[in-house]
Amino acid sequence: MEHRSDTPHAQQLILGRIRAQGGGYARGQVWIEGERIAAVVDGEPDPAVLAGQGGAQVLDVGEALVLPGAVDAHVHSLSHAGEGVVASTSAAAGGGVTTIVEMPFDGPGPINSLDRLRAKQDLVTDEAVVDVALLGTLEPGGGWRRAGGLVDEGVVGFKVSLFLTDPFRFPRIDDLELISVMREVAETGSTLCTHAENNEIIKGLLAEATPQRSTDPLTHTRTRPPVSETLGVLTALEVAATQGASLHVCHLSLPRSVDLVRWYQSQGADVTLEVCPHYLAFTEDDMLTQRGRLKINPPLRTAADREGLWERVEAGAVSVISSDHAPWPTELKDHDVVLDNHSGVPGVETLVPVTLGHAWRRGPAAFDAAVAALTEGPARRYGIDHRKGSLVPGKDADVIVFDPSSDAAIDERTLHSNAGWSPYHGHRPGERSPIR
């Protein structure tokens, strides 16, 4: 963080604990002029400087932490018609997320053409209450040829899936075409994100008769074993490395997957990864109580896997923590047969409190790494770090306050998503698992 002792004329002053240059948090000042950060200064303000500001608004948050606004790198606003941009971005604002990276797999049609991209840009301009960066996608059968035009029109990257979720909205790119996709995305200089699960393993297990109609919620985890994730991750990594593409592997659930990404990084590949708070807060055993509401792809894993992910967060091996906000209503999540439920959970509004609450309890290393993975990491991955991700003079005045002493429970009835529920209902910051 850059600190300056010379304070220009500013309209607002936020006082609280800010990241100190030597580590830790100490009282400091964030001065704001218009929509930009004007200065970040250690210590208490000089009364004479305050008097010379001509009535600047002052917000003193005491011992709470003043942090950069979070960048949620994985939000689905339009997969379900009941959500929409107003609800998802209002939820973001309510939870300290000041920028979202919006996924392209919209219900009316994936963002794989200039017409659909422009229509979505207009919608975001009209309805968003936080900043939004848009991803495009590249459909099977040669969609990679449109990559350059979509980048020229403003997408910050692309997302494709190695698993077939839906042939129209969320299709699969097979291994052969993935080579062309990676090569073309590399040519554009943008980033490709992947949903990395092995299609053949999962489809084969799903085709077995007994699991299909099972009411056992752990059927979901058994039909998506760890190897289905790690093989998908390896495929994406190897193709990216051979084609020189910038790759971001989404929503990893396994420590081994993180290690695979780190190995390719050690070989010089431009690859990053994300994990999600549900993998850091829950285990597969929580499906026994929340059932289909915790059906997520990839699925929840063991307590040992959860701990392994936290260890890698603390070590700085996780560059991005995102919500994978998927706001399905309860009627799509409460079927007795677990595989009949949609996959994903609402989470953009709970991303920051859940992640930072857990991280704070684990200690300074985990907390600092979690803050970076919510702010600097995603901003850098999507090329918006010149404006987002840190409290630096000249960047956008995206500022949030986190109070680690708060024990207020998350109440799904007060959240802004139209999903109307949360898997974290009753969760208090810093607790190892939600209250049931």
Side-chain angles (χ1 to χ4, degrees), residues 112 137-147 173 177 180-181 184:
N112 55 17
T137 188
L138 306 167
E139 78 276 14
W144 52 269
R145 295 181 176 88
R146 299 195 186 101
I173 298 293
E177 187 157 14
S180 297
V181 169
E184 190 67 17

Side-chain angles (χ1 to χ4, degrees), residues 180-384:
S180 297
V181 169
M182 292 277 193
R183 183 171 57 242
E184 190 67 17
V185 171
E187 284 290 322
T188 69
S190 61
T191 295
L192 183 74
C193 309
T194 56
H195 178 122
E197 290 185 291
N198 181 274
N199 196 69
E200 285 70 28
I201 291 174
I202 296 171
K203 293 297 185 183
L205 293 173
L206 287 172
E208 295 180 4
T210 300
Q212 278 287 12
R213 305 311 304 165
S214 175
T215 59
D216 177 1
L218 295 184
T219 299
H220 180 57
T221 67
R222 289 192 287 269
T223 56
R224 297 178 115 90
V227 70
S228 66
E229 176 175 310
T230 53
L231 275 179
V233 170
L234 272 173
T235 297
L237 289 170
E238 185 64 12
V239 176
T242 60
Q243 300 304 311
S246 298
L247 173 70
H248 182 67
V249 190
C250 297
H251 46 52
L252 298 184
S253 68
L254 293 163
R256 183 171 176 80
S257 296
V258 177
D259 295 343
L260 291 171
V261 175
R262 292 288 283 178
W263 187 86
Y264 274 82
Q265 289 174 339
S266 75
Q267 302 299 301
D270 181 11
V271 294
T272 53
L273 67 104
E274 73 186 29
V275 301
C276 304
H278 36 265
Y279 302 123
L280 299 170
F282 298 109
T283 72
E284 61 188 8
D285 291 340
D286 290 296
M287 287 195 73
L288 299 176
T289 54
Q290 295 212 43
R291 300 186 61 78
R293 295 198 181 192
L294 283 179
K295 180 174 179 278
I296 303 162
N297 296 337
L300 299 173
R301 305 296 185 181
T302 67
D305 290 325
R306 178 179 64 181
E307 180 61 25
L309 287 179
W310 269 116
E311 290 171 356
R312 284 153 180 79
V313 169
E314 292 179 31
V318 174
S319 47
V320 176
I321 299 176
S322 70
S323 71
D324 194 5
H325 178 69
W328 305 115
T330 55
E331 57 264 30
L332 299 179
K333 296 292 287 180
D334 286 345
H335 298 293
D336 288 336
V337 175
V338 66
L339 297 180
D340 288 348
N341 294 292
H342 281 50
S343 296
V345 296
V348 65
E349 192 162 354
T350 51
L351 169 66
V352 172
V354 170
T355 302
L356 294 188
H358 281 280
W360 181 265
R361 287 288 296 271
R362 293 185 69 94
F367 186 79
D368 289 347
V371 171
L374 290 169
T375 56
E376 300 170 34
R380 186 180 306 114
R381 175 74 281 183
Y382 290 106
I384 56 175

